[in-house]
Amino acid sequence: MRFDRMIADEVRIEPRDWMPEGYRRTLIRQIAQHAHSEIIGMQPEGNWITRAPSLRRKAILMAKVQDEAGHGLYLYSAAETLGVDREELLDLLHQGKQKYSSIFNYPTLTWADMGAIGWLVDGAAIMNQVPLCRCSYGPYGRAMVRICKEESFHQRQGFEILHTLSHGTPAQKAMAQDAVDRFWWPSLMMFGPPDSASTHSAQSTAWGIKRFGNDELRQRFVDMTVPQADVLGLRIPDPDLRWDEATGHYAFGAIDWDELDRIIRGDGPCNAQRMERRRTAHEEGAWVRDSADAYARKHAAAATTTSDAA
Ligand code: BYC
């Protein structure tokens, strides 16, 4: 079959190519979930824009939050090439029928959390998303290229915030450590359940959507991050963390998978607040969408009149 040959030959699938219904559904699910994560992810960071400690920090954080909105837009556009409408996807999010990343259901309690999110959450995002640039579906892979470039900047800015704090006063260092203590384990959960419990990994890998399993990417993230924690002078909150000569990787402690399950089911510290704010923002933005529609209609009508006249 042509589709299978294209996948085997690493030829990209484009919107007009025939694809199995399951491939299309899997992509819509994953891309929509990813897009929703980007726009819900604006909330925990938006929480600190008015309280950033300097004008420089505020400007950087605003740019980062705007980038997240942009990522959401590229991703909704990529999903639309599969024949769904973004309005439909947002309805599914608002009805709780589509997910977003577990990580955004934790509160951002201090300024250091902006550092921990940048360093750990964006660091995990990069590890997961760089392989997605090679996703077999063209529009998703291409959207990921720019997203990953911007995520690298986000990760560096988070590292820099934590570096400044960890080399500041004892209170600032303690604040940085506390943020890392709270975000470390949730960041490891971002990669999804272990491969043995993953519903979609095998099929998504066979289709060239996922390039690596959840566990492999999680391990790569730990291996990349632990030496960075040493540079920061911060401790990873895992008593079982150790370098394993035999495997050439860091061994780490057990992840609380019940916590991930609870959060995915909607029972995390901030799930209700995040969803309520999202629905409210959507309702309050209705006039913007209506105005944009009216403007587009007016211009389309003017273009028709002009081309008729010509
Ligand atoms: N949170 O079979 P599995 C960002 C669900 S944005 C919630 O392994 P899959 C950023 C999973 O959906 C970060 N749900 O699934 C933004 C599935 O349930 P359904 C988002 C999770 O899809 C702003 C079930 O558990 N990144 O970084 O093969 C500011 C079984 O899992 C989670 C992406 O979306 C979770 N952590 O693999 C800063 C990247 N994990 O759908 C940063 C693209 C699993 O059957 N997505 N589930 O109901 C992916 O790479 C994959 O979808 C995942 C999961 C690795 C996340």
Side-chain angles (χ1 to χ4, degrees):
M1 200 207 283
R2 186 164 175 269
F3 174 84
D4 293 330
R5 233 185 10 257
M6 286 171 78
I7 295 286
D9 294 347
E10 299 273 334
V11 176
R12 280 219 149 129
I13 309 295
E14 296 297 339
R16 284 162 184 267
D17 292 325
W18 182 88
M19 60 187 82
E21 189 48 28
Y23 178 80
R24 197 180 77 88
R25 271 202 316 272
T26 296
L27 280 166
I28 293 173
R29 176 187 62 79
Q30 179 168 324
I31 301 172
Q33 220 170 77
H34 194 165
H36 300 330
S37 305
E38 299 284 354
I39 60 166
I40 298 262
M42 294 166 75
Q43 292 187 35
E45 297 188 317
N47 182 34
W48 279 91
I49 290 177
T50 54
R51 290 176 285 168
S54 69
L55 183 59
R56 174 174 172 266
R57 294 290 187 199
K58 190 196 288 273
I60 295 171
L61 185 59
M62 280 170 65
K64 179 177 196 271
V65 174
Q66 281 177 352
D67 283 352
E68 313 300 2
H71 298 174
L73 293 183
Y74 315 149
L75 289 163
Y76 286 121
S77 299
E80 284 188 321
T81 65
L82 291 154
V84 280
D85 190 84
R86 77 182 65 186
E87 205 58 38
E88 211 177 310
L89 299 177
L90 284 168
D91 285 345
L92 290 169
L93 170 67
H94 298 152
Q95 292 159 13
K97 292 185 181 156
Q98 274 182 349
K99 298 186 168 79
Y100 59 91
S101 180
S102 51
I103 191 74
F104 301 116
N105 292 307
Y106 293 87
T108 45
L109 303 177
T110 69
W111 169 252
D113 289 8
M114 296 304 96
I117 288 186
W119 178 46
L120 295 175
V121 174
D122 288 288
I126 294 170
M127 196 51 88
N128 164 268
Q129 292 172 18
V130 167
L132 291 175
C133 298
R134 293 193 291 115
C135 166
S136 57
Y137 187 58
Y140 190 27
R142 287 189 287 273
M144 290 316 302
V145 173
R146 178 157 171 189
I147 293 180
C148 286
K149 288 191 174 145
E150 292 176 353
E151 298 289 16
S152 306
F153 154 72
H154 296 173
Q155 202 252 0
R156 291 297 294 266
Q157 69 87 41
F159 184 88
E160 204 244 342
I161 289 175
L162 287 182
H163 193 270
T164 305
L165 292 173
S166 65
H167 293 80
T169 64
Q172 286 173 324
K173 181 162 187 181
M175 184 166 72
Q177 183 62 57
D178 170 64
V180 171
D181 289 349
R182 283 180 290 107
F183 277 95
W184 173 253
W185 292 104
S187 298
L188 296 191
M189 292 175 200
M190 283 175 72
F191 293 92
D195 292 343
S196 54
S198 164
T199 333
H200 305 289
S201 273
Q203 183 60 70
S204 290
T205 308
W207 276 330
I209 297 172
K210 280 170 104 162
R211 295 290 174 168
F212 301 101
N214 300 352
D215 289 325
E216 175 158 5
L217 292 174
R218 191 173 3 252
Q219 181 68 58
R220 285 185 184 195
F221 173 71
V222 173
D223 290 346
M224 173 187 81
T225 312
V226 174
Q228 295 178 358
D230 289 340
V231 176
L232 288 172
L234 296 172
R235 196 174 18 82
I236 301 285
D238 178 355
D240 297 324
L241 185 72
R242 63 181 172 82
W243 175 251
D244 185 338
E245 223 27 271
T247 61
H249 295 288
Y250 283 95
F252 53 94
I255 295 174
D256 181 354
W257 296 118
D258 289 343
E259 179 174 323
L260 178 64
D261 279 349
R262 272 198 310 280
I263 297 225
I264 292 183
R265 281 201 316 271
D267 196 15
C270 296
N271 293 59
Q273 185 193 91
R274 301 287 188 240
M275 286 304 288
E276 195 223 298
R277 296 222 169 127
R278 172 92 275 287
R279 289 190 196 103
T280 308
H282 191 69
E283 282 159 22
E284 289 177 353
W287 69 270
V288 179
R289 292 190 295 280
D290 291 346
S291 311
D293 268 353
Y295 185 79
R297 273 198 306 276
K298 189 171 107 182
H299 277 261
T304 317
T305 317
T306 320
S307 63
D308 283 352

